[in-house]
Amino acid sequence: MSKSKKNKGFVSKKQTSTFDFSSLLTYCSQDEILKFKEGLKGKAVSSLILNPLIYTAKRLEEAFPDLKKDKDDPLLYRFVKEEGRMGKTLEHFAGGFYILDPSSGVISSYLTNLLPKDFVSLDLCAAPGGKTIAMDLRRPDGLYLANDIAFDRALEINKNAQRLALGNILTLSIDPVKLSLPSLFDLVILDAPCSGSGMIRKEPKMASDWSMDKVTRLLPIQENLLEKAYECTKKNGIIAYSTCSLSLEEDEDQVKAFIKRHPDIQVIPVEPREGMVLGKDGLGYHMIPGIYDGEGIYFVLLRKTQGDAYKFTSSKDARIYNDYLMSLDYKDNSYLVTRFYQDFANLPFIAPGMKVYDKSEHPKCEYDHSYCKVCDDIEKVELDRQSALQYVQGNEVKVDSSIADELVILTYQNMRLGLGKNIKGKVKNYLPKGLRANLY
Ligand SMILES: C[S@@+](CC[C@H](N)C(=O)[O-])C[C@H]1O[C@@H](n2cnc3c(N)ncnc32)[C@H](O)[C@@H]1O
């Protein structure tokens, strides 16, 4: 379809929020369109994914009885977004869960049983980490490269991985089309930059920012990213393509053109859940506010059936740390990571795993905060809730005076909060200033 024909019916300048977004839902029935219009009047739904590595469903449900457990997904709980309160709890700080839009959490739940043991994943547009982290919480055996073109946003991925104690995420920031890697990956996640029309209920600004020009401008970027995803995926590997756009052009049309360019790409069928709308020509699914209990996301899972089945080269530089982690020297620091391959040696990582040392954080503590989340050679001291809240504010806390005068890891319900130095029952606070907070 020519560009001018595609734009028919749209104003080419920025639209105001009066634009009727239901006109984009050409793949929906009249009934679904009515539900969408009604749904836009309601509140955005948020959710969390439990981190089973450090928290339990029983404790979560006891601490937050208002959470609504998803009927298909054992790790997903919905809640009404009230001024980010769940994000300001001690349990969140301690890494007990990750907050994301429920529609975003769904994609990984479909991928969980489709990947081989110890698979390796690449997320091309990962920040702040939602898709990769949701996947990691379900499949901790995977190794995850999480990239985002925006450096500041990529730092957020690392911050989240650190909070959740995920020692198998290697973070980097590079324009994905400049990534030079062979067809290595079992999974390539491409959550592409898009016009954002699926998020208009959650972020009303997306409605006033939306225009057909924006859609058109993003199409070649999405196309190039799909080509990069193809290049990096190994034979029989999966490409998980998603957008938060309701527009056919960015979703099914983009996928259709991709399959035309690469006839070996096959759509992986998935069993739809309540409220999911089948995409045009059976290409993927839309989750749409008012129809699905979440915000707007389109996704499709694609299998690359031809090409190389490349094998990784193990790294001689990584040394055994414990049963789970390896120690790796990178730039002027050491990192703990579950696996590392020589094939990644030239990538510009921000953090290839959990950082061990940091002389700048606290003059009296040689370790980076990250280290306390995964190390196994520092004594742990359990705090009650009140003391834990005091600790995360940056205060000194009192502990049992029989504890040796040494560096300790403070925990709450066995979840690691951070480091401190015990001196005669008073713990000096080593939590980095940027992490200190008033929590509930
Ligand atoms: C939808 S967001 C990713 C959200 C993330 N996958 C998650 O689940 O938390 C899209 C990302 O694409 C990145 N991006 C923007 N323009 C880009 C471009 N031209 N090429 C590659 N990535 C881009 C943005 O920095 C942004 O983080």
Side-chain angles (χ1 to χ4, degrees):
M1 192 185 275
S2 75
K3 195 173 157 186
S4 57
K5 219 171 176 185
K6 258 191 206 168
N7 282 341
K8 209 176 157 201
F10 292 105
V11 185
S12 63
K13 283 189 280 146
K14 271 194 177 177
Q15 306 281 339
T16 65
S17 51
T18 55
F19 175 70
D20 179 8
F21 284 93
S22 71
S23 66
L24 302 177
L25 307 184
T26 50
Y27 40 82
C28 283
S29 66
Q30 277 311 310
D31 183 41
E32 287 166 341
I33 287 174
L34 285 175
K35 284 185 177 169
F36 168 70
K37 286 181 172 171
E38 205 46 46
L40 287 189
K41 295 177 195 159
K43 285 194 177 134
V45 187
S46 195
S47 66
L48 61 84
I49 293 211
L50 178 76
N51 181 358
L53 299 173
I54 59 178
Y55 203 31
T56 65
K58 189 170 176 284
R59 279 198 163 152
L60 176 78
E61 288 166 25
E62 277 167 11
F64 305 101
D66 293 341
L67 290 174
K68 204 170 107 197
K69 192 172 183 162
D70 188 273
K71 67 181 171 58
D72 300 303
D73 185 341
L75 296 187
L76 193 95
Y77 294 79
R78 286 182 177 74
F79 59 91
V80 182
K81 207 178 167 209
E82 268 177 356
E83 292 145 23
R85 201 180 157 102
M86 284 305 289
K88 290 187 179 154
T89 58
L90 196 52
E91 287 77 0
H92 178 262
F93 178 92
F97 51 83
Y98 182 79
I99 294 173
L100 83 180
D101 173 62
S103 314
S104 277
V106 162
I107 304 170
S108 52
S109 75
Y110 281 114
L111 288 165
T112 307
N113 295 323
L114 293 174
L115 291 155
K117 191 171 180 313
D118 296 333
F119 67 94
V120 185
S121 165
L122 168 68
D123 191 339
L124 293 173
C125 308
K131 308 286 179 304
T132 279
I133 288 169
M135 193 67 227
D136 196 353
L137 297 179
R138 302 174 196 282
R139 287 291 302 266
D141 61 314
L143 182 66
Y144 298 87
L145 267 70
N147 175 68
D148 200 275
I149 191 170
F151 183 80
D152 286 355
R153 285 176 60 79
L155 288 177
E156 290 299 310
I157 308 172
N158 183 238
K159 232 167 122 181
N160 282 321
Q162 190 186 83
R163 183 174 59 78
L164 295 151
L166 301 173
N168 55 353
I169 296 183
L170 297 87
T171 313
L172 66 156
S173 179
I174 181 171
D175 182 344
V177 294
K178 293 190 186 140
L179 259 178
S180 177
L181 281 164
S183 309
L184 282 170
F185 295 91
D186 300 287
L187 171 65
V188 175
I189 300 172
L190 173 51
D191 189 26
C194 71
S195 60
S197 46
M199 293 295 145
I200 51 172
R201 181 170 71 172
K202 182 175 160 194
E203 292 169 40
K205 194 172 117 355
M206 297 308 278
S208 48
D209 271 2
W210 190 91
S211 69
M212 193 59 203
D213 280 353
K214 189 175 179 189
V215 174
T216 312
R217 187 170 49 78
L218 286 158
L219 295 180
I221 295 174
Q222 293 155 356
E223 184 180 320
N224 288 339
L225 289 168
L226 271 164
E227 287 308 306
K228 182 52 71 177
Y230 183 86
E231 188 185 309
C232 295
T233 306
K234 71 188 216 191
K235 184 178 178 181
N236 291 325
I238 296 173
I239 298 169
Y241 179 71
S242 58
T243 74
C244 56
S245 167
L246 304 169
S247 294
L248 270 181
E249 290 89 339
E250 296 175 272
D251 300 340
E252 292 93 322
D253 288 357
Q254 196 65 271
V255 174
K256 196 183 240 176
F258 178 56
I259 297 175
K260 201 166 174 199
R261 295 195 297 279
H262 301 285
D264 67 308
I265 289 288
Q266 291 175 1
V267 175
I268 301 174
V270 301
E271 193 60 44
R273 302 204 182 134
E274 192 181 332
M276 285 187 183
V277 177
L278 183 65
K280 190 180 165 207
D281 300 330
L283 292 174
Y285 282 93
H286 292 271
M287 287 167 275
I288 299 166
I291 307 172
Y292 180 81
D293 195 6
E295 305 316 295
I297 297 269
Y298 165 82
F299 80 101
V300 64
L301 304 184
L302 304 164
R303 194 178 295 283
K304 175 177 172 178
T305 62
Q306 299 294 316
D308 297 331
Y310 192 97
K311 290 237 173 349
F312 282 103
T313 316
S314 64
S315 174
K316 292 178 214 79
D317 304 330
R319 298 170 304 273
I320 289 170
Y321 173 76
N322 63 23
D323 288 349
Y324 183 59
L325 295 163
M326 308 197 91
S327 167
L328 170 84
D329 292 331
Y330 181 75
K331 293 192 177 156
D332 55 357
N333 219 305
S334 293
Y335 290 82
L336 293 178
V337 62
T338 51
R339 273 179 283 155
F340 193 83
Y341 298 112
Q342 207 49 42
D343 314 72
F344 304 153
N346 294 324
L347 293 176
F349 290 109
I350 291 172
M354 306 292 265
K355 200 174 181 184
V356 176
Y357 299 108
D358 194 341
K359 291 162 196 80
S360 63
E361 283 282 17
H362 197 287
K364 291 191 181 146
C365 183
E366 66 174 317
Y367 294 115
D368 189 271
H369 171 71
S370 207
Y371 183 58
C372 85
K373 292 286 184 159
V374 289
C375 74
D376 60 1
D377 49 7
I378 299 177
E379 200 64 40
K380 291 184 220 58
V381 177
E382 176 73 6
L383 299 178
D384 62 25
R385 191 169 187 94
Q386 211 44 45
S387 303
L389 288 167
Q390 285 293 316
Y391 173 76
V392 298
Q393 273 182 10
N395 297 321
E396 193 175 272
V397 286
K398 286 193 182 132
V399 295
D400 189 337
S401 56
S402 64
I403 294 166
D405 285 356
E406 59 186 9
L407 188 69
V408 291
I409 295 173
L410 286 318
T411 64
Y412 171 68
Q413 293 194 335
N414 294 321
M415 297 189 278
R416 301 174 185 208
L417 302 173
L419 293 162
K421 175 83 184 282
N422 179 41
I423 302 168
K424 296 187 175 33
K426 281 185 185 166
V427 177
K428 298 268 172 227
N429 199 313
Y430 287 174
L431 194 64
K433 287 203 167 54
L435 292 181
R436 296 178 184 184
N438 288 323
L439 302 176
Y440 298 104

